[in-house]
Amino acid sequence: MFERRLQEVRRHLETLRLDALLVSHIPHVRYLTGFTGSNGLCIIARKNQHFLTDHRYRDQSKTEIKGFEIHVSRIGLLEEAGKRRLLKGQSRVGFESQNLSVFAHNKLQKLLPGSALVPTLSVIENIAAVKDEFEIESIKRAVRITEKVFQKLLHILKPGLTELEVAAEIGYLHRRYGAEADAFDAIVASGIRGSLPHARASGKKIKRGELVTLDFGCRLDGYNSDLTRTVAVGRPTARARKVYQIVLDAQCRAIEAARAGIRASALDRVARGYINGKGFGEYFSHSLGHGLGIEIHEELRLSALSKEILRAGNVVTIEPGIYIPGFGGVRIEDDVVIRENGCDVLTVAPKELTII
Ligand code: ZN
Ligand code: ZN
């Protein structure tokens, strides 16, 4: 698995005429090596590969990483690379321009006076965007945990609980069910707060008759899940039911249309066109979805502005929403794997409006 990933990086080295690529973004380091710590750096050269970390991870890195020359440092990772002359003689060294700080770049330049530092864009992102079956299985297991949490929440949610209390349950239950972490701070948005697409959970109490949007996910073996359901606590209003049904129909249409070869922008248009047609277009204020995997938001975006064409093996979220100021909001989000002739929906949690 890691060998194939390294081969792909080396293919990019050739195309970009690089002698080596410095990988500093920690999810990418994990993707290439299996290292689960918080401080590490890879140097992938044409013929060899190095991994650097600090002393806290001396033993862990040796257990987790195979096939890399491991260097444990007490002086800083870039400094160690300089001291050990790991990049000596490499005339063109690529770095991850979206992830290396200006500070680190300056340091690197001083350490490598004879080399050209070449900014690269999306090298690992592009490789990681297409998942193999093993990765898809990992995402699916993360989705299962999150769905189990959702099922449990249906028994916990009641009027009088604060959004923060619900978020605390989510974090607790994820770990209870075996996740390594939350994928992100859970969004719990009740009543009129539902009109804020990314509302952080607050001290607001959930009231009877309100819709509650729950958007949460977990990480398992380095892969993330992402689930949104909007539920009603007590009887919803007719307007809430109507908005819910429009979002659900838009979401199902987009899932129906998802397959390899479709433009990301065209898929966004499927859901957006439907919501526009129902007169709620101005309230669908974000893109349809995003790539999902080693990061909760990967680079692939299902947006009107995207130039991407979906490929088999992409894992994306499909999550249209309607957010009406002063009223509230509805979002429904599933995770899907793009296949040649359609998509596999990883999420199985029910989507009809649940009334608690
Ligand atoms: Zn989400
Ligand atoms: Zn999402």
Side-chain angles (χ1 to χ4, degrees):
M1 178 173 76
F2 294 116
E3 260 163 53
R4 184 191 62 81
R5 293 174 187 176
L6 288 176
Q7 268 172 18
E8 297 248 8
V9 174
R10 293 207 164 95
R11 223 166 33 82
H12 281 81
L13 291 184
E14 232 162 83
T15 321
L16 298 167
R17 294 182 300 109
L18 295 174
D19 298 306
L21 176 68
L22 193 99
V23 178
S24 55
H25 186 47
I26 201 74
H28 294 170
V29 171
R30 182 169 183 175
Y31 180 73
L32 294 177
T33 66
F35 175 64
T36 61
S38 65
N39 190 25
L41 187 71
C42 293
I43 295 169
I44 316 292
R46 295 278 185 132
K47 295 215 159 58
N48 52 42
Q49 56 268 357
H50 298 273
F51 171 81
L52 299 102
T53 189
D54 66 65
H55 257 262
R56 292 172 298 168
Y57 296 117
R58 189 192 57 203
D59 298 343
Q60 181 182 329
S61 60
K62 284 178 185 148
T63 325
E64 288 180 337
I65 303 173
K66 303 282 173 265
F68 277 72
E69 202 170 314
I70 299 174
H71 310 274
V72 178
S73 171
R74 285 187 192 279
I75 56 171
L77 307 190
L78 290 175
E79 289 80 352
E80 190 72 31
K83 190 178 122 194
R84 291 180 187 260
R85 300 171 167 260
L86 300 182
L87 287 161
K88 190 167 178 280
Q90 318 280 30
S91 57
R92 282 171 57 85
V93 176
F95 66 93
E96 299 189 281
S97 64
Q98 293 134 300
N99 296 302
L100 194 79
S101 71
V102 173
F103 179 76
H105 181 269
N106 289 343
K107 207 188 293 188
L108 200 57
Q109 214 148 34
K110 282 197 196 110
L111 290 167
L112 299 172
S115 309
L117 287 180
V118 183
T120 68
L121 209 57
S122 308
V123 171
I124 310 296
E125 285 87 341
N126 266 315
I127 299 170
V130 174
K131 274 77 178 171
D132 62 29
E133 293 308 316
F134 178 81
E135 297 181 278
I136 290 166
E137 202 47 47
S138 298
I139 297 170
K140 201 189 262 181
R141 283 191 294 123
V143 171
R144 288 294 162 272
I145 291 179
T146 294
E147 289 179 326
K148 211 169 144 186
V149 172
F150 175 66
Q151 286 303 331
K152 184 85 179 166
L153 284 180
L154 295 180
H155 299 285
I156 292 173
L157 273 174
K158 58 172 193 272
L161 274 183
T162 68
E163 294 171 352
L164 277 168
E165 284 167 332
V166 177
E169 292 286 351
I170 291 171
Y172 170 72
L173 290 169
H174 267 147
R175 287 165 182 78
R176 270 293 299 271
Y177 296 152
E180 60 187 67
D182 283 345
F184 55 94
D185 279 345
I187 292 166
V188 181
S190 60
I192 59 166
R193 291 194 80 248
S195 71
L196 312 166
H198 257 217
R200 283 267 170 87
S202 75
K204 178 192 169 297
K205 283 190 172 141
I206 295 169
K207 289 200 250 69
R208 192 171 299 281
E210 284 183 339
L211 292 180
V212 183
T213 299
L214 304 154
D215 184 352
F216 57 107
C218 73
R219 195 165 62 237
L220 181 70
D221 297 335
Y223 288 86
N224 294 284
S225 60
D226 192 1
L227 171 75
T228 306
R229 288 292 181 266
T230 302
V231 299
V233 177
R235 258 168 69 90
T237 61
R239 190 180 186 204
R241 282 179 195 272
K242 181 181 166 197
V243 169
Y244 190 93
Q245 196 56 46
I246 293 168
V247 173
L248 180 57
D249 290 342
Q251 203 241 10
C252 292
R253 276 162 199 254
I255 287 176
E256 204 56 41
R259 57 171 171 76
I262 190 172
R263 287 188 175 279
S265 56
L267 192 55
D268 176 86
R269 209 154 48 233
V270 171
R272 200 169 300 283
Y274 182 78
I275 291 174
N276 276 339
K278 295 287 174 184
F280 287 88
E282 64 175 300
Y283 303 118
F284 177 17
S285 49
H286 55 72
S287 53
L288 177 65
H290 53 85
L292 174 74
I294 57 172
E295 305 212 56
I296 184 66
H297 292 131
E298 293 193 347
E299 210 168 71
L300 176 58
R301 295 297 156 115
L302 306 183
S303 94
L305 301 173
S306 173
K307 300 266 180 284
E308 297 269 358
I309 295 174
L310 294 186
R311 292 182 279 170
N314 287 150
V315 175
V316 296
T317 68
I318 308 257
E319 49 176 311
I322 292 179
Y323 312 94
I324 306 172
F327 165 73
V330 172
R331 176 166 66 257
I332 302 170
E333 173 179 36
D334 285 343
D335 305 335
V336 310
V337 187
I338 301 301
R339 302 294 191 187
E340 287 300 341
N341 297 312
C343 73
D344 289 343
V345 184
L346 299 179
T347 314
V348 297
K351 288 195 279 197
E352 67 277 10
L353 180 56
T354 304
I355 301 169
I356 296 167

